[in-house]
Amino acid sequence: MLFNLNSAAMEASGRRPRLLLQICLIFSTLILTFFSPVVRSSSTLDLQILSAERRVDLSSHIIRVSLTLKVENVGTSPASEILLAFSPAQVDHLAWIKAGALVGKKRKKSSLPLDVKPSNILDGPNGTKYYSVFFTSQLGSGESVSLEVLYVLTHSLEPFPVEISQSESQLVYFRDSAVILSPYHIKSQETSFRTPTNKVESFSRVEPTDRSGTELKYGPYEERPSYSYSPVIIHFENNNPFAVVEELVREIEISHWGNLQITDHYKLAHAGARQKGGFSRVEYQSKQPFGGSASFKHLLAELPPRVHSVYYRDDIGNISSSRLRIGAKKSELLIEPRYPLFGGWKATFVIGYGVPVHDYLFESADGSRYLSYSFGCPLAETVVDKLTIKVVLPEGSEDPSAVIPFQVEQRLEKKHSYLDVVGRTVLVLEKKNVVPDHNSPFQVHYKFNPVFMLAEPLMLVLGFFLLFVASIAYLHMDIAIRKS
Amino acid sequence: MAAPETSPTPSSLRNAFGHVFSFFILILIGVLAFSIRLFSVIKYESVIHEFDPYFNYRVTQFLTKNGIYDFWNWFDDRTWYPLGRVIGGTVYPGLTLTAGTLWWLLNSLNIPLSVETVCVFTAPIFSAFASWATYLLTKEVKGAGAGLTAAALLAMVPSYISRSVAGSYDNEAVAIFALIFTFYLYIKTLNTGSLFYATLNSIAYFYMVCSWGGYTFIINLIPMHVLLCIVTGRYSSRLYIAYAPLVVLGTLLAALVPVVGFNAVMTSEHFASFLVFIIIHVVALVYYIKGILSPRMFKVAVMLVLSVGLVICCTVVAVLIALVASSPTKGWSGRSLSLLDPTYASKYIPIIASVSEHQPPTWPSYFMDLNILAFLVPAGIVACFLPLSDASSFVILYIVTSVYFSGVMVRLMLVLAPAACIMSGIALSGAFDVLTRSLKFQLPGTSEIFASDAVDTGSESVILNKDGAKEDKSEDSVKERPSKKSKKKEKEKEKEKEKEKEKEKENAGTLSSRSHAGTSSRRPLVLPVEASVIAIFLLVLLVAFYVVHCVWAAAEAYSAPSIVLTSQSPDGLHVFDDFREAYAWLSHNTDVDDKVASWWDYGYQTTAMANRTVIVDNNTWNNTHIATVGTAMSSPEKAAWEIFNSLDVKYVLVVFGGLVGYPSDDINKFLWMVRIGGGVFPHIKEPDYLRDGQYRIDSQATPTMLNCLMYKLSYYRFVETDGKGFDRVRRTEIGKKYFKLTHFEEVFTTHHWMVRIYKLKSPRNRIRGKTKKSKSKSSSTISSKSSRTRKKNPWN
C-alpha cells in the first residue's frame, strides 16, 4: 500500500532523477519492515481502552460520528499506533476520517491532528477492517493518551418504507452496534444517537438504554472484551434533503490574464424513499409544510468571495430560480432546480463562475506556480458519489503535480480550448464518496513561462496581418489570362 | 462607375475615398443588422426559440455528432411513433448544413463553441449577409447610394427581425439571404451577360433550394420576368445567358436535394420555368433567323414556324395537362394552392389553416412589420419606372408579386420585406440625391466641383448624401446671409406632398441623365435651398422614426423566445419557465423510451428538450396521425385511454393557461383538434362541442365538452386552487368542477400549472371476458388506421 502511494506520487511529480526513486524504494521497504505485522501485533494487543464515548449524529443523511477514547498502554513495549475497527458495511460507506490527540487540562483542551491511514494488516474476524492512528510520539508502557476520532458515513440510512407518497414523511433505518467495535478491551463505554426529530418509530434495546427527546443513549457498558458487537436498529423520521450528487465534474481553468473559471456539472438525485404515485401540484402548493415534506426544492451553494459572472443553467437553458449574495468572506448561491425533487427524482445542471486568479494562484520560492483551491462540492450537506476535478492549466505549462491531503486518483489529459495549438494540460483528480468535510484546500504545482501568455494574441495579430497582406496582394495582382 | 481610370486625380481620389467610405458603411450596416437582433439574448438568454427552431437544432446536433452521411440516412424513430420519419429525406438541409459547417470550422480552429451557440447566432450573422446582398442587388438596379440605403433599411426591418432574432434558428434565417443573393446574381448576369455570374446564380439558387421551400418563388418570379422582358421586346443575349443556364443547372442541382428530388421536374410549381425556357429558345431562334434572313424570307419563315410551332406547343401543353391532371392535387402542394387560392386551406385542409402564420395578415401588421416602408414603396416603384431597365423591371415585378403573397399568408411578409426595403432605398436615396444636390448647387464654391461630376454615380452619391447632411448644419449659419436665388424662390415654397411629387420628377430626371452616363449635358432641376433643407429635415425625421420603431420592435415585440414568458408586475419581473420545467422533468424522471402524447405544437420541443418519443410533431406530414391524437383529446376518458394505449403512449402532456392567463393553451386550440379529428373520424362532430355555435367551458358547455379528455386533463383539481375554478383566459368559472380521473393519473404539474403531465394507468386485471372484446375492437380499428396512413405517400 505504502509502496503504491509512493510510486503514485512519483508519477505525479514527473521526471525526477533516478537516484531519488531508488532512495524512495529503500525508504519504503524500510517502512514496510519497520511496521511488519509481527511488530504490530505485539504492540496492538498491549493497548487497552479505559473509556470510550461515541456520539452519532443522525440529523441529516450524512452521519457524523465522534469518538473519544482514552487509551492506555498496558504492555511492556512502547506503542506507536492504535487500530480503529469498522464493520465491512461501514467501511464501504466511510467517507472521511480524522483523528486528534487531546492535550491540556479540562478547560483548555486542544486537539493535535494525528495521521490516519487504512491499515495493511489482515482483516479481523467477520471481515473487520482497520484504520491505524499513528501517535506523534510513541506511547510508553503505562502511559495513557486521550484521542478524538471523527468520521463520516454516507448512504447508511435505509429508507423504510421504500416508497412513500407525496404527503408522507420519510422514515429510515439506521443499523449499528450498541457497543463499539474494537480490537481492544474496553473498560467503560457509552454511545448516543441523535435523531433529527422526536419521532422515533422503534429502536432496539440493549440495556441500559435510555431515550429522551432526540437523544438515544446506549450504555454505559463495562468491561467489554475485544470484538464485541451487539447490533441495533433505529427506525426514525428523517425529512432532511437526501441530496446526493451522483456525479460532479468540476473544471477549473486557469488563465494568467486574471481569471479563474470554474464550471461544475452536477447530476443531482434525491436518494431518499422513492416517490409513489403521482405528484400533485395543488397539494404541494396548498399544504406547504406537509405537501411534500420529504422533498427539497432548493440547495445552498457556498461560493468564494469576489465571485463574478455566475451562471446556473442546464442543457436546455438558463434556470431562472437562483439568488446570489456576495459577501466579504464567502458568497452564497441559493439554487432551485427546475422542479422540487422527490425521492428518486433527478436533475442535472451546471453552475459556473469566475474568480480573480490572484486570490488562488501563487508563486512559490523556486519560481513555479501553484494553485490552491478548495476540494469538494460547494453544495451544503450533500454527498458526492463521484467527484472529478479537472484543473486546466494554461497552454505551455509543465510538470504539474498535486498536493492533496487525502488519497485521490490522478491522471493527465489534454484539452484544446480557444485557439490552442498544442493543447492545455489537464490534471484530473478523481475521488469517490466526497462529503463537505473534504472541502479543504489542495494545491496544484506547475511551471509556466509568461511568454506563452502572448502566444494567442500574437497569433491573432499575425492572422489578421496575413489577411490584410493577402487582400493587398489580391488587389494589386492581375491574374487575368487575357488582357482586357 | 467606369469613370475613375480616365478622370483627373481629385475625382479618382474622391472615388477611392468613396469606396472606402461605403465599405465602412457596409461593415457598420452588418454590425447593426447583427447587433439589433441580440436583444433576445440580452433580455432573455442565449436559447433556441419557439418550435421549429428546436427541431432544426436537434437535427444540427445530430449532424455534428454523426456526420453528414448518417444525417442523410437518418430515420428518426423518436417522432411520429410508430411511423417514424425519414429526416434526411424530408428536411431542407441548408440551414442545418450551414450551421454545422460553421460549427465544424470554429471547432477545427479550436474555438470550442457549443452547437447551441452557433445555432443561436446563425440568424443574426445571415441577416448581416442579407443586408450586404441587398446592397449588391440595389446597386445593380439603381446605384450604390440606393444600395446602401436599402441595406441599412433591411438591416432593421421589423418583418425580417421577427424571423431572425438570435435564437430564431429557422430556415428563413438563411433563406432570405439566399433569396436576395440569387436575385442579385440574376440581375448581375442580366447586366453583364457573364456566364460566370450565371453559374454562380445557379449555385446560389441551389443553396436557396437547400434552405427553404420558398425557392419556388424564385423559380416562378424569374421566368415571369423573362417573359415580361420578351413580351416588352427587351430580349437580349444577356437575358438568355441569365435564364437558360439557371433553369438547366438550377433544376439539376435542385434535384440533388433529397427533399425536392424529382419534384423539381414533376410538380406544377416548376412548370412555368420550363415553359418560359421553351419560349426563350423559340424567341432566340427567331432573333437568330431574323438576323440571317432577309425581311421577305423572314416573313415566310415566321408563317412556317408559327404553324409548326403551334402544333408542337399544343401537344406539349396537352401532355402537361394530362400529367398534371393525373395527380390528385393537380400537382400542387397544399401550401402553394392556398397561395393561389387564399380560401383553399380553410376549405379543405384544417391543419394548414390552423397555423396562425398561415392566416392572411391584418392592415396593422403591415405597419408593424414594414412601418414607413409601406409608404415609400410607391415612390420607389415610380423611381424604378424612370427609366425602366431590365433590372428595375425585375424589382417592380418582385414587389408586386410579393405584395400579393404577403396578402395571402402573414408568414410571406418576410418575402415582401426585402422588396420593400429595396424600393424604399431607391426612393429615399433618390430624394436625398436631389435635395442635397440642389443644396450644393446653390452653395458658392462647391457648385463648380459639383458641375464637373454631376452625373457621377456609385459611392459618390453616398458622399454627397453625407456631405449634404454635414453641410446641413453649416447651412444654418450660412443662411443668415441671404442669397439672391433663395430669396427669389422663397415664394415657391410648397407643401410637403407637392414637393414629394416634384422630387420624384426631379429624381426621374437625374436618373435618366445618369443612365445616359455622362453624355447628357442637361442641367438638373434645382430646388430652393429652404425647401430642400426642410425636406431633408423631414426625411431624416421620417427615417429616425423608422429607426425608433425598428429598435422598439426588435426589443419589445419580437425578442421573446416563447418558451420563457415574462410578465411585469409591480414587484418586479416575473418569469414563467414552465415549459422547460416540464421538459426537464420528463427528460430526467421518465424512462428513455417512454412515449409522450401531446398536441402537435409541442412535438418538436418534446423531442428536442425532453428527448422523449412523441406521437405527432410540428412537421404535419400525416394528417391521420394528428387526427388520431385530436380524436383522443376530444373523446371521453375511456375511449381516449384506449386510443393512447394502442399507440403505446405512457404520458400525456397538456398545456393549460387558465391559472396564470396564458392564452395560447390547449383549451383554446381545442376546436382545431376537434375539427382535424372529425375530418378523419366522423364520430367526432364539432357541433357537439359548441353550445349554440359558441365555444364555452362554463356551466353552459355541452356534456361532450365537459367529458372530453382535454377538458378533464386541463381542469383536474383546478378548483382546489381558488375554490371556484376561475379560468383567467376564458374569464369564467369552469363548468364541471369536481371530478375524478379513472384512467389517467397526474404525475407532474409545473409551478404555474402551464404544463400538466398525466400518466396512463396500467390496464386492470381482466376479470371476465367483458373488457377483452372492446379492447380487441379498438386495437383492430387502430391497426387498420395505421395501415391506411402507410399507403399514402407522406412526402408528396
Side-chain angles (χ1 to χ4, degrees), chain B residues 696-726:
Chain B
R696 52 202 311 170
I697 45 102
D698 54 8
S699 48
Q700 296 295 306
T702 59
T704 323
M705 179 69 214
L706 294 181
N707 282 319
C708 72
L709 183 70
M710 181 48 78
Y711 180 89
K712 284 193 164 178
L713 297 191
S714 290
Y715 293 115
Y716 178 61
R717 298 187 78 176
F718 176 58
V719 70
E720 290 172 44
T721 52
D722 59 352
K724 285 186 297 182
F726 185 79

Side-chain angles (χ1 to χ4, degrees), chain B residues 117-144:
Chain B
T117 314
V118 173
C119 291
V120 165
F121 291 101
T122 301
I125 290 171
F126 272 78
S127 315
F129 292 168
S131 51
W132 292 333
T134 310
Y135 163 75
L136 292 172
L137 174 59
T138 320
K139 190 179 152 197
E140 286 302 313
V141 180
K142 281 287 177 193

Side-chain angles (χ1 to χ4, degrees), chain B residues 273-575:
Chain B
S273 63
F274 300 133
L275 206 65
V276 173
F277 186 66
I278 296 167
I279 291 171
I280 198 172
H281 277 94
V282 172
V283 171
L285 194 69
V286 168
Y287 272 85
Y288 176 69
I289 291 170
K290 201 176 178 179
I292 57 171
L293 291 183
S294 64
R296 197 174 53 81
M297 286 285 282
F298 180 68
K299 266 183 188 165
V300 178
V302 165
M303 288 297 289
L304 196 77
V305 168
L306 264 188
S307 47
V308 177
L310 267 180
V311 174
I312 295 173
C313 275
C314 284
T315 48
V316 167
V317 168
V319 168
L320 279 184
I321 288 173
L323 267 177
V324 171
S326 65
S327 80
T329 55
K330 309 277 177 284
W332 292 81
S333 65
R335 282 209 181 95
S336 316
L337 268 180
S338 63
L339 274 183
L340 296 179
D341 173 11
T343 57
Y344 177 83
S346 53
K347 271 190 279 185
Y348 302 108
I349 321 172
I351 210 152
I352 290 183
S354 75
V355 181
S356 63
E357 61 182 23
H358 292 161
Q359 308 289 344
T362 51
W363 279 113
S365 71
Y366 276 96
F367 187 74
M368 174 68 199
D369 279 357
L370 299 176
N371 202 244
I372 63 156
L373 304 186
F375 312 120
L376 287 172
V377 162
I381 293 176
V382 173
C384 280
F385 268 107
L386 304 166
L388 191 68
S389 65
D390 290 348
S392 62
S393 67
F394 177 77
V395 186
I396 293 168
L397 203 62
Y398 177 23
I399 185 107
V400 171
T401 47
S402 59
V403 164
Y404 168 74
F405 286 136
S406 72
V408 177
M409 248 188 219
V410 66
R411 183 184 182 185
L412 292 178
M413 192 82 93
L414 192 62
V415 177
L416 170 65
C421 289
I422 291 166
M423 284 304 178
S424 315
I426 290 169
L428 271 180
S429 145
F432 271 120
D433 219 10
V434 171
L435 296 171
T436 50
R437 195 196 350 268
S438 41
L439 273 185
K440 277 207 153 184
F441 209 70
Q442 290 160 62
L443 285 178
T446 50
S447 58
E448 281 166 39
I449 304 165
F450 182 69
S452 67
D453 47 20
V455 286
D456 219 352
T457 56
S459 50
E460 192 75 68
S461 57
V462 185
I463 301 171
L464 294 186
N465 282 352
K466 293 289 161 181
D467 286 353
K470 276 173 206 155
E471 275 155 21
D472 213 15
K473 284 170 197 156
S474 60
E475 174 69 50
D476 293 333
S477 55
V478 176
K479 229 167 66 181
E480 255 84 276
R481 188 181 48 176
S483 69
K484 286 173 234 162
K485 272 181 191 170
S486 61
K487 258 192 177 177
K488 219 188 279 173
K489 283 174 186 170
E490 229 170 287
K491 299 163 197 166
E492 291 173 24
K493 261 193 183 174
E494 289 159 325
K495 281 186 179 177
E496 181 52 11
K497 278 180 194 169
E498 286 161 318
K499 220 184 302 159
E500 195 79 24
K501 271 183 197 167
E502 202 180 343
K503 228 185 299 160
E504 293 304 338
K505 274 182 216 159
E506 182 69 23
N507 192 4
T510 50
L511 287 169
S512 65
S513 73
R514 179 183 296 169
S515 71
H516 294 306
T519 52
S520 98
S521 56
R522 199 174 58 145
R523 271 174 74 95
L525 285 169
V526 174
L527 286 175
V529 173
E530 287 79 3
S532 9
V533 169
I534 290 169
I536 286 177
F537 175 72
L538 287 175
L539 278 181
V540 169
L541 206 68
L542 191 69
V543 175
F545 179 67
Y546 175 72
V547 172
V548 169
H549 173 79
C550 289
V551 171
W552 172 81
E556 301 294 329
Y558 291 137
S559 286
S562 93
I563 57 161
V564 189
L565 308 165
T566 53
S567 78
Q568 202 76 45
S569 61
D571 51 325
L573 195 72
H574 199 75
V575 180

Side-chain angles (χ1 to χ4, degrees), chain B residues 634-659:
Chain B
S634 7
S635 306
E637 222 187 313
K638 186 155 191 276
W641 185 90
E642 276 163 9
I643 293 173
F644 279 140
N645 194 45
S646 70
L647 284 170
D648 220 359
V649 168
K650 206 159 174 198
Y651 295 95
V652 181
L653 179 151
V654 293
V655 172
F656 170 65
L659 184 77

Side-chain angles (χ1 to χ4, degrees), chain A residues 277-283 285 313 316-318 320 338-339 344-348 416-420, chain B residues 45 47 109-112 116 575 577 580-581 584-585 588-589 609 717 720 745-751 753:
Chain A
F279 160 67
S280 167
R281 179 67 71 172
V282 70
E283 237 162 67
Q285 280 172 337
R313 55 170 294 154
I316 54 176
N318 183 42
S320 44
R338 287 193 188 275
Y339 40 86
W345 288 14
K346 290 173 184 181
T348 60
H416 288 268
S417 185
Y418 291 92
L419 294 172
D420 286 347
Chain B
E45 54 178 292
V47 73
L109 287 174
N110 276 334
I111 302 175
E116 191 188 9
V575 180
D577 205 356
R580 288 192 296 190
E581 183 183 344
W585 185 85
H588 289 118
N589 300 308
M609 283 198 260
R717 298 187 78 176
E720 290 172 44
E745 173 189 32
E746 184 187 14
V747 287
F748 191 73
T749 298
T750 57
H751 189 242
W753 289 55

Side-chain angles (χ1 to χ4, degrees), chain A residues 62-83:
Chain A
I62 299 172
I63 296 154
R64 292 197 167 77
V65 184
S66 100
L67 191 64
T68 317
L69 303 172
K70 191 156 192 229
V71 188
E72 187 187 20
N73 189 353
V74 290
T76 47
S77 55
S80 62
E81 61 172 335
I82 177 172
L83 292 178

